[in-house]
Amino acid sequence: MRNECKGRILGSALLAVALGLGTANLQGQESRKAVSNPVPVYPEVAKRMRLTGTVKVQVVIGTDGRIKEKNFIGGHPVLVNAVEETLKNWKYAPASGETTTQLEFNFHP
């Protein structure tokens, strides 16, 4: 019985540590600040077409603050191109690890 009880206590302690680490990781992601985040230019062709919409993109931010990877989740190709060009100039504060986040850009005339 005693070994079983110790096992439960140890299991509970490990679960508490794991949950604590998960929470710390989320807080770290929320505190990552953008140092430079210019707004995408609304493309002239999109204006002429009266094209509106939202572009969603998941990005991986490297330790140096630069965007390493982009995965576009949705948006018209003309608007996606505008966002892709702009993200080349985005920079976040440096951090000890990579961060993944989702960004949304709304285009309206």
Side-chain angles (χ1 to χ4, degrees), residues 7 14 20 24 61 67 77 82-83 89 102 107-108:
L14 289 174
I61 306 160
I67 293 177
V83 170
N89 298 315
Q102 185 172 318
F107 289 87
H108 302 284

Side-chain angles (χ1 to χ4, degrees), residues 18-33 94-101:
L19 290 174
L21 289 175
T23 302
N25 189 24
L26 287 175
Q27 290 172 348
Q29 288 183 2
E30 290 175 0
S31 65
R32 193 91 185 248
K33 290 192 174 190
S96 59
E98 293 182 347
T99 305
T100 301
T101 191

Side-chain angles (χ1 to χ4, degrees), residues 42-106:
Y42 189 70
E44 282 300 318
V45 67
K47 287 179 187 177
R48 287 193 303 268
M49 294 171 54
R50 295 189 177 136
L51 184 63
T52 63
T54 301
V55 173
K56 293 181 184 180
V57 58
Q58 184 176 17
V59 296
V60 176
I61 306 160
T63 56
D64 64 352
R66 297 272 179 208
I67 293 177
K68 288 178 55 174
E69 297 174 31
K70 299 177 281 271
N71 179 29
F72 288 91
I73 300 165
H76 190 281
V78 171
L79 302 176
V80 166
N81 286 339
V83 170
E84 190 164 26
E85 284 302 310
T86 300
L87 289 178
K88 291 176 183 177
N89 298 315
W90 275 44
K91 183 160 172 118
Y92 287 84
S96 59
E98 293 182 347
T99 305
T100 301
T101 191
Q102 185 172 318
L103 304 171
E104 244 180 61
F105 298 90
N106 296 306

